[in-house]
């Protein structure tokens, strides 16, 4: 007779079979979860190992050097020099004679009041001289909007000091602006002459 495998009444496994795995071994096999992105091998329940990490032999990508290597644009110098009292008066007389035409005589009289005001030793004299210097230099650069802004600041900050003579500077700025506009119109090319369009008379 052939020997038969007898079952043990206490253990539900054959006596000749391999004993079941113990709890410690089972916990060791299931304590580490597989990688979520890993795929199982065909015919096996074991997952693929996770992708290798960055090793010592693989160099990281170089840092971006765009900001450090970009050329820097130099800042535009907008500061203007301060003129002396004599330079201010001389330049204003020349400008009024050139641009103001027949009313230049009356404006030059107002300019004399400005000269006396600058020689009176007022505590605000240095600031007024700086504004006048910027006004003249902006006029020479044809930056009329900036020159008008300086006159607005001068009249608002020092109304008592410049009330008698600031009007001649306003006339100067207005005359220069008018001349510039007229020069631009003259420099524009003339429009081509249009021929008259005749509508044929209806036949009776």
């Amino acid at each position: 007779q052939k020997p038969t495998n007898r079952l043990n009444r206490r253990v539900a496994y054959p006596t000749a079979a391999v004993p079941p795995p113990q709890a410690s071994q089972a916990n060791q096999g299931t304590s580490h979860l597989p990688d979520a992105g890993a795929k199982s091998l065909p015919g096996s329940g074991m997952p693929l190992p996770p992708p290798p990490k960055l090793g010592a032999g693989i160099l990281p990508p170089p840092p971006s050097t765009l900001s450090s290597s970009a050329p820097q644009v130099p800042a535009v110098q907008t500061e203007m020099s301060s003129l002396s009292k004599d330079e201010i008066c001389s330049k204003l007389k020349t400008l009024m004679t050139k641009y103001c035409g027949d009313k230049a005589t009356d404006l030059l009289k107002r300019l004399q009041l400005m000269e006396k005001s600058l020689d009176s030793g007022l505590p605000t004299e240095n600031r007024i001289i700086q504004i006048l210097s910027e006004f003249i230099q902006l006029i020479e650069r044809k930056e009329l909007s900036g020159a008008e802004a300086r006159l607005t600041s001068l009249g608002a900050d020092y109304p008592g000091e410049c009330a008698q003579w600031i009007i001649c500077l306003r006339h100067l700025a207005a005359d220069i602006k008018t001349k510039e506009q007229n020069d631009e119109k003259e420099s524009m090319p003339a429009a081509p002459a249009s021929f008259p369009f005749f509508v044929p008379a209806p036949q009776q």
Side-chain angles (χ1 to χ4, degrees), residues 121-140:
L122 295 175
T124 58
E125 177 182 330
N126 293 335
R127 179 55 184 159
I128 293 176
I129 289 176
Q130 180 62 35
I131 296 177
L132 292 175
S133 301
E134 295 176 1
F135 170 75
I136 293 173
Q137 293 176 70
L138 290 171
I139 288 289
E140 294 175 344

Side-chain angles (χ1 to χ4, degrees), residues 91-102 104 108 172:
K91 287 179 178 292
L92 288 176
K93 289 178 182 179
T94 303
L95 292 172
M96 289 178 183
T97 304
K98 180 179 179 180
Y99 291 102
C100 297
D102 297 337
L108 291 175
L172 174 62

Side-chain angles (χ1 to χ4, degrees), residues 15-35:
T15 56
V18 180
Q22 297 181 1
S24 61
Q25 296 179 357
N27 294 335
Q28 292 178 0
T30 59
S31 60
H32 298 285
L33 295 176
D35 187 21

Side-chain angles (χ1 to χ4, degrees), residues 163-177:
Q164 296 181 348
W165 48 265
I166 193 174
I167 186 66
C168 68
L169 303 182
R170 295 188 187 278
H171 278 284
L172 174 62
D175 292 342
I176 294 176
K177 186 175 183 180

Side-chain angles (χ1 to χ4, degrees), residues 40-101:
S40 59
L41 293 173
S44 174
M46 297 298 294
L48 291 173
K53 297 182 179 180
L54 185 64
I58 304 177
L59 298 177
S64 176
T65 57
L66 180 60
S67 59
S68 60
S69 60
Q72 297 181 356
V73 180
V76 180
Q77 299 294 334
T78 58
E79 297 181 357
M80 287 174 281
S81 60
S82 179
L83 304 176
S84 63
K85 299 177 186 178
D86 295 337
E87 290 175 334
I88 291 174
C89 296
S90 176
K91 287 179 178 292
L92 288 176
K93 289 178 182 179
T94 303
L95 292 172
M96 289 178 183
T97 304
K98 180 179 179 180
Y99 291 102
C100 297

Side-chain angles (χ1 to χ4, degrees), residues 124 128 152-166 170:
T124 58
I128 293 176
T152 302
S153 177
L154 180 63
D157 297 342
Y158 310 101
E161 292 83 352
C162 63
Q164 296 181 348
W165 48 265
I166 193 174
R170 295 188 187 278

